[in-house]
Each structure stands twice: as C-alpha cells, then as structure tokens.
Amino acid sequence: MNDTTMQDDASDSASMEERTTAVTAIELLFDLVFVAAIGQLATTLHDHVTWRGGLETIVLWVPLYLLWANTSFSATGTITENKSLRRPILWVLFFGIFMAAGIPVAFEDGVECLAFVAPYLIAQLGQVAMTWFIHGREEMKLHSRGVMVWHCLSAIGWIIGIFVEPHARLWVWVAAAIVEVAGALLRHPLGSRNNIDTTEWQFDTAHMLERIRLFLILALGEQIVSIVTGLHEAGFHLLNLLAATTSIVTFFALWWLYIWDVEVILETDPAEHDDPAESGARSVTVQMVLALGLIPLAVSDEIIVGEPAHHGSLTLTALACGGAILYLAAQAWHIHKVTGHTPWRRLVAILALVIVAAASFIPAIVTNALVATILVITAVMSRRHHMKHFDRDPTEHDRIVEK
C-alpha cells in the first residue's frame, strides 16, 4: 500500500514538473506574433539596405524583443495554471499584432509612426501594470515596479520621437532604446533599498530556457522564408540553386551551434540552481543579440539567392558576416559567463568572418559559401569537443540534444 502511494506521489511530482516546464499553446501563439515582427523587420531592411536602415532595424528590434522578454520572464515567474496571470500575455499578443504591422511606417514622415509607438507603449506598460497588480508574490511586485519606472523613462523618448522629423527621430529613439537596454542589463534597479534577492525566487529556469529555445527555432524560420522567396523570384537556375544550398547549410549550422554547444552548457549552469532568475535573465539578454543577428542573415540570403553573381559590396558582406558575427559573439559571451573559459572556436570564427567581410570585392555567392563553411567548421569542432566532454557517458550529450 505504501509503495503504491509512493509511486502515485512520484507520478504526481513528475506530472507537475512536466506541467511547469512545458510551453503552453498560448505562449507559442504569443511567440508567433514576434516572429511575424522579425519578418517585417527583415522585409523593411531588405527595402532599405543602407547603414541607416541597419540602425533603424536595431532601434526597432530593441523594444520588440524587450516586450517579448519582459512578458515571457514575468509569465515564467508566475503560476502558469492561474488563468488570470495569462492576461498580460493575451494583452501583449493583441497589441503586438498592430505593433508589428506598424514597423514599415515607423520612420515615415508625419505621425504615421504612431502605428508602431502607440501599440508598443500600450502593450509594454499595460503588461507590466497587470503583472504588478495581479501577482501575489512580493518579489514579482517589486520587480514589476522597477520595470515600470525604467519603461516610463524610455517612453519619454519614444513619445518625443513622434513629433520630430524622421532623421532626428532616429537619434531620439536611439536614446530611448539605450535606456531600455540599460534597464534590462542592470535588472531595472530602483536604488539599494529596493534591491531584490533573486536567489529566493521561485523561478522556473527550465521553462524559460525552453521558451528561448523555441523562439530561436521560430526566428530561424525567417531564413527559410528568405531562401524560398529569393529562389521563387529568381528562378531555378544553377547558380541560384547553389546559393540556396549554401544558405540552407548556414541555417543548419546556426541551429546546431546552439543545440550542440550553448544548450549543453546551459544544462550545467550552476546559476540555474543557485540563482535561477538571474540565469534566466542572462539567457534572455543573450537571446536579444542572437535573434538580432538572424535578421541581416535572412536579408543577405534573399539577396544572394536572388542574385548570386552579384559583385560583392561592403553592405552585402556586412549583412552576411555581421549577422553571423553577432550570433557567435553572443554565444561566446554566454559561454564565458557560465563556464569561465574562453570560447576560442567562436573567437577564431569571428576573426575569419571579419576577414571575409573585408574582402567585399568577391562575388556574393562566394561570400555566402565562405560564411557557411566557417559556421559548419565551428559547429563540427564544437560537437567533437562536447562528445569528448561526455566521454564517461556517451549517451548524455544525445539526451540533452533530444530534450
């Protein structure tokens, strides 16, 4: 009888853990809104492939991502079975659709930029207020209060930008974006008397990491869309097919660089147990740069697949190599923070990508092939390293990857 009871208790415990870490359907639907926004950013950058266009993309990406991050982080710090705590997700999902639709006109003349700014401010400040008032735990209320103050400060810049001409608007919004990023990096402090001891948080790090993983996979889908679009518009000619093939290889290399290396390291992050909230926040911050790197990569894929014989340019190599550099640099920093070791493979890959970017005279398809080669070599070396690391139990690596 006791054995049966113990088995039932173990089963209930396992099912509870599964419910806690599993990503819900509403969260996946929520993620799709922001994946659509990534597509809008990539399309807008494709239509304005200039240095200014790149800066505009970064400025718009910051509030978009931090809206996703704040909402997801707060939801992970709550009891997901409580339906009232899903309201912020539904709130942001609704206004996020309008925000994504307003991306192409964010830097147009007049007040058309309201189509982007108004939904953003309503969504961001609204979800923070909801979490503040709905949540029952004091540490989450204090966290929400800090987030609200920092976003109110940045809101001043977003609002001022509405009333100035597009050139000046860019720099006003750069300042607003810097405030938002600073708040995220500093964990939205309000002074020493309001510091939060995150080691006491009941934070589901496994759930947050799963959210990040699925978001990244969905974001990688923009590369597939770009390859398909470029191939459809250019036709199925030999050079176009070769360019598409190298872009697909790049896609798989980016995916496996995360699965083989970063995810395995995160599984052994001591902060996941000692300070789960801080571990989750750090992963969210890294994801902002990782996903940002995918946008110029997607744009370069569409351009190169469409015109593989195009003579190289500094702008094109900056898109192809710059996106990969951002992706690898974010991973390198994260690996160093978790393990304390220098990620030499990624640093060497970044140096190689810088050299390729400087060779802007080479044809576009060659640039594409070199980027793919560098990423594949880095992924293969990372796999060998981790397989050696898990020599004592060769199946351990595969169990982590299959999660």
Side-chain angles (χ1 to χ4, degrees), residues 172-183:
V172 173
W173 282 1
V174 164
I178 289 173
V179 171
E180 298 216 1
V181 172

PDB file of all heavy atoms in Angstrom, residues 172-183:
ATOM      1  N   VAL A 172      16.630  60.258 -31.441  1.00  0.00           N
ATOM      2  CA  VAL A 172      15.841  60.305 -30.197  1.00  0.00           C
ATOM      3  C   VAL A 172      15.480  58.896 -29.757  1.00  0.00           C
ATOM      4  O   VAL A 172      15.575  58.540 -28.576  1.00  0.00           O
ATOM      5  CB  VAL A 172      14.564  61.146 -30.406  1.00  0.00           C
ATOM      6  CG1 VAL A 172      13.656  61.054 -29.178  1.00  0.00           C
ATOM      7  CG2 VAL A 172      14.918  62.606 -30.675  1.00  0.00           C
ATOM      8  N   TRP A 173      15.115  58.067 -30.733  1.00  0.00           N
ATOM      9  CA  TRP A 173      14.742  56.686 -30.404  1.00  0.00           C
ATOM     10  C   TRP A 173      15.962  55.834 -30.062  1.00  0.00           C
ATOM     11  O   TRP A 173      15.834  54.852 -29.323  1.00  0.00           O
ATOM     12  CB  TRP A 173      13.951  56.076 -31.559  1.00  0.00           C
ATOM     13  CG  TRP A 173      12.525  56.545 -31.581  1.00  0.00           C
ATOM     14  CD1 TRP A 173      11.933  57.425 -30.725  1.00  0.00           C
ATOM     15  CD2 TRP A 173      11.512  56.155 -32.512  1.00  0.00           C
ATOM     16  NE1 TRP A 173      10.616  57.614 -31.054  1.00  0.00           N
ATOM     17  CE2 TRP A 173      10.325  56.853 -32.151  1.00  0.00           C
ATOM     18  CE3 TRP A 173      11.487  55.315 -33.613  1.00  0.00           C
ATOM     19  CZ2 TRP A 173       9.133  56.704 -32.847  1.00  0.00           C
ATOM     20  CZ3 TRP A 173      10.301  55.170 -34.318  1.00  0.00           C
ATOM     21  CH2 TRP A 173       9.135  55.855 -33.935  1.00  0.00           C
ATOM     22  N   VAL A 174      17.128  56.182 -30.590  1.00  0.00           N
ATOM     23  CA  VAL A 174      18.354  55.503 -30.167  1.00  0.00           C
ATOM     24  C   VAL A 174      18.552  55.698 -28.661  1.00  0.00           C
ATOM     25  O   VAL A 174      18.862  54.746 -27.921  1.00  0.00           O
ATOM     26  CB  VAL A 174      19.581  56.027 -30.940  1.00  0.00           C
ATOM     27  CG1 VAL A 174      20.874  55.616 -30.246  1.00  0.00           C
ATOM     28  CG2 VAL A 174      19.581  55.507 -32.372  1.00  0.00           C
ATOM     29  N   ALA A 175      18.340  56.940 -28.198  1.00  0.00           N
ATOM     30  CA  ALA A 175      18.473  57.230 -26.768  1.00  0.00           C
ATOM     31  C   ALA A 175      17.445  56.438 -25.957  1.00  0.00           C
ATOM     32  O   ALA A 175      17.764  55.887 -24.891  1.00  0.00           O
ATOM     33  CB  ALA A 175      18.305  58.726 -26.520  1.00  0.00           C
ATOM     34  N   ALA A 176      16.210  56.358 -26.459  1.00  0.00           N
ATOM     35  CA  ALA A 176      15.162  55.601 -25.754  1.00  0.00           C
ATOM     36  C   ALA A 176      15.518  54.119 -25.686  1.00  0.00           C
ATOM     37  O   ALA A 176      15.320  53.462 -24.653  1.00  0.00           O
ATOM     38  CB  ALA A 176      13.818  55.800 -26.461  1.00  0.00           C
ATOM     39  N   ALA A 177      16.060  53.601 -26.790  1.00  0.00           N
ATOM     40  CA  ALA A 177      16.446  52.188 -26.822  1.00  0.00           C
ATOM     41  C   ALA A 177      17.598  51.915 -25.861  1.00  0.00           C
ATOM     42  O   ALA A 177      17.637  50.860 -25.206  1.00  0.00           O
ATOM     43  CB  ALA A 177      16.826  51.785 -28.245  1.00  0.00           C
ATOM     44  N   ILE A 178      18.540  52.852 -25.757  1.00  0.00           N
ATOM     45  CA  ILE A 178      19.670  52.690 -24.831  1.00  0.00           C
ATOM     46  C   ILE A 178      19.164  52.606 -23.389  1.00  0.00           C
ATOM     47  O   ILE A 178      19.646  51.793 -22.585  1.00  0.00           O
ATOM     48  CB  ILE A 178      20.677  53.841 -24.996  1.00  0.00           C
ATOM     49  CG1 ILE A 178      21.421  53.698 -26.337  1.00  0.00           C
ATOM     50  CG2 ILE A 178      21.668  53.872 -23.834  1.00  0.00           C
ATOM     51  CD1 ILE A 178      22.319  54.871 -26.668  1.00  0.00           C
ATOM     52  N   VAL A 179      18.182  53.448 -23.046  1.00  0.00           N
ATOM     53  CA  VAL A 179      17.603  53.412 -21.703  1.00  0.00           C
ATOM     54  C   VAL A 179      16.978  52.037 -21.434  1.00  0.00           C
ATOM     55  O   VAL A 179      17.150  51.458 -20.359  1.00  0.00           O
ATOM     56  CB  VAL A 179      16.547  54.526 -21.534  1.00  0.00           C
ATOM     57  CG1 VAL A 179      15.796  54.352 -20.212  1.00  0.00           C
ATOM     58  CG2 VAL A 179      17.207  55.894 -21.584  1.00  0.00           C
ATOM     59  N   GLU A 180      16.275  51.508 -22.433  1.00  0.00           N
ATOM     60  CA  GLU A 180      15.617  50.208 -22.252  1.00  0.00           C
ATOM     61  C   GLU A 180      16.649  49.091 -22.080  1.00  0.00           C
ATOM     62  O   GLU A 180      16.482  48.203 -21.235  1.00  0.00           O
ATOM     63  CB  GLU A 180      14.706  49.912 -23.443  1.00  0.00           C
ATOM     64  CG  GLU A 180      13.583  50.918 -23.611  1.00  0.00           C
ATOM     65  CD  GLU A 180      12.298  50.276 -24.090  1.00  0.00           C
ATOM     66  OE1 GLU A 180      12.277  49.057 -24.275  1.00  0.00           O
ATOM     67  OE2 GLU A 180      11.316  51.012 -24.277  1.00  0.00           O
ATOM     68  N   VAL A 181      17.689  49.109 -22.899  1.00  0.00           N
ATOM     69  CA  VAL A 181      18.724  48.078 -22.793  1.00  0.00           C
ATOM     70  C   VAL A 181      19.461  48.202 -21.458  1.00  0.00           C
ATOM     71  O   VAL A 181      19.746  47.185 -20.803  1.00  0.00           O
ATOM     72  CB  VAL A 181      19.712  48.177 -23.967  1.00  0.00           C
ATOM     73  CG1 VAL A 181      20.890  47.240 -23.763  1.00  0.00           C
ATOM     74  CG2 VAL A 181      19.009  47.842 -25.284  1.00  0.00           C
ATOM     75  N   ALA A 182      19.762  49.432 -21.048  1.00  0.00           N
ATOM     76  CA  ALA A 182      20.443  49.639 -19.763  1.00  0.00           C
ATOM     77  C   ALA A 182      19.594  49.100 -18.621  1.00  0.00           C
ATOM     78  O   ALA A 182      20.110  48.450 -17.692  1.00  0.00           O
ATOM     79  CB  ALA A 182      20.732  51.126 -19.558  1.00  0.00           C
ATOM     80  N   GLY A 183      18.296  49.350 -18.675  1.00  0.00           N
ATOM     81  CA  GLY A 183      17.408  48.837 -17.641  1.00  0.00           C
ATOM     82  C   GLY A 183      17.433  47.322 -17.573  1.00  0.00           C
ATOM     83  O   GLY A 183      17.484  46.732 -16.490  1.00  0.00           O
TER      84      GLY A 183
END
